[in-house]
Amino acid sequence: MRTYLYVLAGITSALIGWNIGQLFLTDMGILKTVPEVVLFPCIAISLAVGMVLNEIFVSSPTRPKLCFRKAKIPLLIALGLGLVAGLVSGGISQILFHPAIRVPTPIVRSLGWLFIGSSVGVAEGLTWRWQTIEAGDKKRFQKRLKLSIFAASSASLAAAILFELIRIPLGEMPKEFRGAEDPIGFLILGLLLGLAFSISNSPSYMAALRAGTGFEYKGDIYDNIDPYATVESKLYPQIEKPLLKFVSNSETDWIEEGLSIQLPESGKLRIGSSPKANIRIPDLPLHAADIDLYSRETILTPNSRFFYTIEVNGDRLSSKTPIYLKHNYVLTFSAKTDEFDNEAPIYRFVYYNRFLDPQA
């Protein structure tokens, strides 16, 4: 479905841009002698805005109001980049089309489309910073930006080559089809851009645990350690740094309600109150459970002695059988001293493994 949405967005945006360009050129008669200077900015702006909007709504399809709020700055950036790139590509095309220079049309078209495509890639990559907290990771952001530019540039050149391969057997386009030559070309450009973004912008599978009940702020904590305590504790829930960090890039190690703990791509994490635990929560057993992380797969393995202290989606575990976690699973850990202690404090996480923003 994502691929269809991206392709549809690319084709629709390209054709809308072409029609707007025709409105300026044909109906209003603006700069008819230099049509590329008008047409290319319209195409570039429409494609940039369309692909950025599509990315935002695909990332959060059930939250249209949130999408519109997030779209303000990205749309301004897409509009500005599209306008500049369109004017540059249109101006260069007009210069190269001049009879005194006589550059072949396929080369001029390829350069123009390359400018348009690369501007769409830059817009899509840059605006990702305003779409997700995940972009706070500098390496992830740079990787996404470079990939977007490469994918869009490659798709633009491929579209220009494909269009020329279609035209070569025909020689000169038949008279009855000349009016459709440009929209067909830009349709191919939009189609390949949409296809490229559907592949390069595949959903992130960054696993995260979002803190919920039990992690509310309760005021300042002092080191009044109970000498008779049966578990070890730092008196506040915390993560082991630098192995773990919060998605929001917070410098603290204190787990608070609403914060999402970014999990590694692979490895084993221990949850409990022991100083050796990677996620340390007061009053839990020293070793409550392990989380085993694999490529696009996460397994919760309860401690065989304390499995009854854990609930998954509201159901208390009845054995130590490993649980394969899925997106939106609710994990509840309690500080029970026995199986019948229902007054013990609880600590709740929501597990995320996909979508671009585990904190949305």
Side-chain angles (χ1 to χ4, degrees), residues 55-209:
E55 174 68 18
I56 292 173
F57 278 91
V58 167
S59 300
S60 303
T62 61
R63 300 181 177 183
K65 291 183 179 179
L66 175 64
C67 290
F68 280 117
R69 286 201 302 270
K70 291 197 298 184
K72 294 177 182 178
I73 295 178
L75 287 183
L76 289 175
I77 294 174
L79 192 151
L81 286 172
L83 177 61
V84 172
L87 289 173
V88 170
S89 60
I92 291 176
S93 297
Q94 285 298 320
I95 293 172
L96 297 179
F97 275 137
H98 196 278
I101 300 177
R102 296 179 182 177
V103 177
T105 299
I107 295 178
V108 178
R109 180 180 289 110
S110 298
L111 287 175
W113 287 15
L114 177 62
F115 271 104
I116 292 174
S118 59
S119 71
V120 177
V122 172
E124 202 284 332
L126 280 180
T127 56
W128 190 58
R129 180 182 292 275
W130 285 270
Q131 297 177 31
T132 172
I133 295 175
E134 185 184 351
D137 187 320
K138 187 176 180 180
K139 290 183 179 179
R140 284 179 177 269
F141 173 71
Q142 291 178 346
K143 180 181 178 181
R144 173 66 174 253
L145 178 60
K146 292 176 182 177
L147 185 60
S148 295
I149 296 173
F150 174 77
S153 300
S154 301
S156 301
L157 286 177
I161 294 171
L162 179 60
F163 183 60
E164 294 303 327
L165 290 176
I166 294 174
R167 293 181 75 252
I168 287 174
L170 298 175
E172 186 177 352
M173 188 70 70
K175 184 176 181 180
E176 57 270 21
F177 293 110
R178 287 177 190 172
E181 182 177 3
D182 278 348
I184 290 173
F186 289 121
L187 183 149
I188 294 173
L189 174 61
L191 186 153
L192 292 189
L193 279 175
L195 186 61
F197 282 131
S198 72
I199 297 172
S200 64
N201 298 347
S202 59
S204 169
Y205 280 79
M206 181 182 72
L209 289 175

Side-chain angles (χ1 to χ4, degrees), residues 36-58:
E36 278 75 15
V37 175
V38 176
L39 185 60
F40 280 13
C42 293
I43 299 289
I45 290 172
S46 184
L47 278 171
V49 169
M51 299 312 296
V52 167
L53 266 180
N54 183 71
E55 174 68 18
I56 292 173
F57 278 91
V58 167

Side-chain angles (χ1 to χ4, degrees), residues 17 20 61-62 64 76 94 99 141 200 244 246 256 300 329 348 352 354-355 357 360:
I20 293 174
T62 61
L76 289 175
Q94 285 298 320
F141 173 71
S200 64
L244 297 175
F246 294 109
E256 294 184 80
L300 175 72
Y329 267 29
R348 186 166 289 146
Y352 293 88
R354 66 179 183 271
F355 297 143
D357 191 355

